[in-house]
Amino acid sequence: AEVHVAIIGAGSSGLACIKTCLDEGLEPVCFESSDDIGGLWRFKENPEPDRASIYHSVIINTSKEMMCFSDFPIPGHFPNYMHNSLIMEYFRMYADHFQLTRHIRFNTKVLQVKQRSDFSHSGQWDVETENKDGKKERHIFDAVMICIGHHCHPNMPLQDFPGIHSFKGKYFHSRDYKTPEEWRDKKVVVIGIGNSGGDIAVELSRVTKQLYLSTRRGAWVLNRVSHNGIPLDLTFSRAVNFVLNAIPFGLYCSLGERQLNQRFNHSLYNLKPKHRLFSQHPTLNDELPNRILSGTVQVKPNIRKFEGSSVEFEDGSVVEDVDLVVFATGYRFSFPFLASHVISVSGNQAPLFKYVFPPELDRPTLAVIGLVQPLGAIMPISEMQARWATRVFKGCNKLPSVAAMLKDVQCKQDTMAARYVTSQRHTIQVDYISYMDEIAELVGVKPSVPRLLLMDPRLGLSVMLGPCTPYQYRLRGPGKWAGARQAILTQWERVTQPMQTRPCDQPQCKCSFVTDYDFIIHGLFASMCLGF
């Protein structure tokens, strides 16, 4: 019998789910409330309610070889760090190549997802949808995959900022920021030093009279450009990961902090936080130190209160005539179409087994895909989760007992609480290689490095010493891809290609296994020192 799967959302996770369902012989129907694919990555001038929204200049923080879907490399001529328009171009190429769009119903909002009366036997769901003309429909599905991401509802903690409601300037959440032009020669305060806060502060500081960056805790700031000009996340290899897991957490942090302070002294720049380097999601920003050094960005503590058009900070300093305040204060997620007993969300936490399955359902036919915040790229993680979930739907993979799943959920929560600063931001953190391997093992696609070293030494060395690119998870098992070996052996060519835009007299470095071998030295140094 055909297994019909409802997929909610056609962003990067939704596209991966459609493709994975088709690979496994399932029948997907994807409901997308807007008129196009892309989710978070599709720039729109006017943000829509309860939808993620980005600003015009957004460039992704993960490099192309680490963020691509595992059987569809990003073209060699695309830059390593891509602008949102190029990410959309890649998604369209992916959707066209695998003919995914025909399975999407655009302008269709999911109103309700409800267990059927015979759920304990059938595992089926009633899904109610509404199209743009207001026409409602009911559908029956054998399984449901939720792919709405975690950038749904802007977190605006206005209660923590006395006087904000009578503030004479303008204020909005970072999702409503689009371009800097209208703030030329104005005074602007940006609250929050996450990746959006840092990027918006830098961009605005080029046109504003003065930009103030307000941060409660400070932050460790990492560079996208790592040793030898290599993208930072490409320094993340299996060998490096093995060594780092063997080092005590405190030593690991100390090495990284020392290296970051050699680039610029975080105390001198007023950024040094109380917490350790790996106790917070890192801020990647190559330009912030330069803007602070040129005085166009001033780092300030938390805001005590607003009064008229002035802002008073907790150190007693006051800035008069502030024109704009941008709240780069993150997001909250929720599942408004689900009953709270199916998945309860509290304090930005949802108790899900491996961040995917609600552990206490009678039948494992509901999966949440992409509800993680990785130290690395989200796209391959969503794809891996989808590969696992579809195998569970088919009965090829079994989930453990409810007690075992609840224990795993609790264990992950405890580990996160012990490592990270308490914050709504740190409830769904995962480390890229560890988490990918954990899910890959369940699917049966985790690469066997010893076997590869024995059977195919060149490939084995690339897998062990080179970056942990997604192609590694297509070498064996369900969903094995014949092009995976070649994709791994040519990954360095795709890294260098977009930069070869001028003939050079110097002999070109032939990037191959030799690069990967050399890479272990640089990778160990960079990753021990720069983390990621």
Side-chain angles (χ1 to χ4, degrees), residues 368-385:
V368 180
I369 306 297
L371 189 66
V372 288
Q373 177 128 305
L375 291 176
I378 183 88
M379 292 79 171
I381 288 181
S382 291
E383 182 191 44
M384 183 60 73
Q385 290 177 331

Side-chain angles (χ1 to χ4, degrees), residues 172-226:
F172 51 67
H173 190 270
S174 57
R175 77 187 288 275
D176 295 307
Y177 171 78
K178 295 296 163 188
T179 54
E181 280 75 26
E182 67 175 297
W183 306 106
R184 186 171 294 279
D185 298 325
K186 306 286 190 189
K187 284 189 189 176
V188 177
V189 175
V190 174
I191 301 171
I193 199 173
N195 287 310
S196 296
D199 282 351
I200 291 170
V202 163
E203 180 167 284
L204 278 169
S205 73
R206 294 196 187 96
V207 301
T208 53
K209 185 176 182 180
Q210 185 62 58
L211 189 295
Y212 301 92
L213 179 56
S214 167
T215 168
R216 270 183 310 180
R217 278 193 288 262
W220 294 104
V221 180
L222 278 66
N223 229 5
R224 272 193 182 106
V225 184
S226 188

Side-chain angles (χ1 to χ4, degrees), residues 263-283:
R263 179 177 163 238
F264 74 90
N265 186 316
H266 282 59
S267 296
L268 181 65
Y269 280 64
N270 246 336
L271 287 172
K272 187 182 177 186
K274 290 191 178 79
H275 59 261
R276 304 307 306 267
L277 172 56
F278 297 106
S279 294
Q280 185 179 34
H281 193 76
T283 297

Side-chain angles (χ1 to χ4, degrees), residues 200-258:
I200 291 170
V202 163
E203 180 167 284
L204 278 169
S205 73
R206 294 196 187 96
V207 301
T208 53
K209 185 176 182 180
Q210 185 62 58
L211 189 295
Y212 301 92
L213 179 56
S214 167
T215 168
R216 270 183 310 180
R217 278 193 288 262
W220 294 104
V221 180
L222 278 66
N223 229 5
R224 272 193 182 106
V225 184
S226 188
H227 289 264
N228 290 340
I230 287 168
L232 176 64
D233 54 0
L234 290 182
T235 63
F236 208 38
S237 71
R238 292 184 172 279
V240 168
N241 197 51
F242 176 79
V243 172
L244 293 181
N245 284 336
I247 295 175
F249 182 73
L251 175 60
Y252 178 14
C253 289
S254 296
L255 287 165
E257 289 159 15
R258 184 175 163 214

Side-chain angles (χ1 to χ4, degrees), residues 153-156 171-177 325-331:
H153 315 293
N155 178 44
M156 288 272 279
Y171 66 90
F172 51 67
H173 190 270
S174 57
R175 77 187 288 275
D176 295 307
Y177 171 78
V325 176
V326 180
F327 284 85
T329 44
Y331 292 83

Side-chain angles (χ1 to χ4, degrees), residues 217-475:
R217 278 193 288 262
W220 294 104
V221 180
L222 278 66
N223 229 5
R224 272 193 182 106
V225 184
S226 188
H227 289 264
N228 290 340
I230 287 168
L232 176 64
D233 54 0
L234 290 182
T235 63
F236 208 38
S237 71
R238 292 184 172 279
V240 168
N241 197 51
F242 176 79
V243 172
L244 293 181
N245 284 336
I247 295 175
F249 182 73
L251 175 60
Y252 178 14
C253 289
S254 296
L255 287 165
E257 289 159 15
R258 184 175 163 214
Q259 184 68 13
L260 292 181
N261 280 326
Q262 281 178 1
R263 179 177 163 238
F264 74 90
N265 186 316
H266 282 59
S267 296
L268 181 65
Y269 280 64
N270 246 336
L271 287 172
K272 187 182 177 186
K274 290 191 178 79
H275 59 261
R276 304 307 306 267
L277 172 56
F278 297 106
S279 294
Q280 185 179 34
H281 193 76
T283 297
L284 267 71
N285 199 308
D286 295 52
E287 298 178 73
L288 184 59
N290 184 19
R291 304 312 296 175
I292 295 170
L293 201 57
S294 64
T296 51
V297 170
Q298 276 187 31
V299 180
K300 303 295 280 182
N302 200 25
I303 292 170
R304 182 180 288 159
K305 64 175 179 178
F306 290 87
E307 206 166 296
S309 61
S310 68
V311 176
E312 184 181 332
F313 297 94
E314 285 183 347
D315 61 353
S317 62
V318 177
V319 176
E320 311 275 356
D321 306 320
V322 173
D323 299 287
L324 169 68
V325 176
V326 180
F327 284 85
T329 44
Y331 292 83
R332 291 173 293 105
F333 62 81
S334 67
F335 307 106
F337 44 78
L338 270 181
S340 59
H341 71 269
V342 179
I343 302 177
S344 62
V345 179
S346 170
N348 249 25
Q349 270 191 330
L352 298 169
F353 177 57
K354 310 284 186 205
Y355 303 101
V356 175
F357 286 101
E360 295 183 272
L361 285 182
D362 292 336
R363 309 278 289 193
T365 55
L366 176 70
V368 180
I369 306 297
L371 189 66
V372 288
Q373 177 128 305
L375 291 176
I378 183 88
M379 292 79 171
I381 288 181
S382 291
E383 182 191 44
M384 183 60 73
Q385 290 177 331
R387 290 171 72 184
W388 178 41
T390 48
R391 305 277 298 167
V392 170
F393 295 160
K394 282 174 71 176
C396 302
N397 287 72
K398 296 272 187 284
L399 296 185
S401 68
V402 173
M405 287 194 280
L406 288 171
K407 189 179 174 188
D408 185 86
V409 169
Q410 191 58 52
C411 179
K412 279 187 166 42
Q413 286 179 359
D414 293 346
T415 304
M416 215 174 313
R419 171 171 161 183
Y420 288 101
V421 171
T422 306
S423 161
Q424 282 200 163
R425 195 182 182 204
H426 299 133
T427 55
I428 47 174
Q429 290 286 140
V430 295
D431 291 323
Y432 180 82
I433 295 181
S434 307
Y435 183 72
M436 284 286 277
D437 277 358
E438 191 178 340
I439 306 301
E441 200 154 6
L442 298 170
V443 184
V445 296
K446 181 183 170 186
S448 168
V449 176
R451 188 170 182 278
L452 285 173
L453 288 169
L454 199 64
M455 308 293 289
D456 189 342
R458 186 180 171 211
L459 178 63
L461 284 165
S462 282
V463 168
M464 183 173 76
L465 306 181
C468 188
T469 45
Y471 324 120
Q472 296 190 6
Y473 300 97
R474 290 283 181 183
L475 289 168

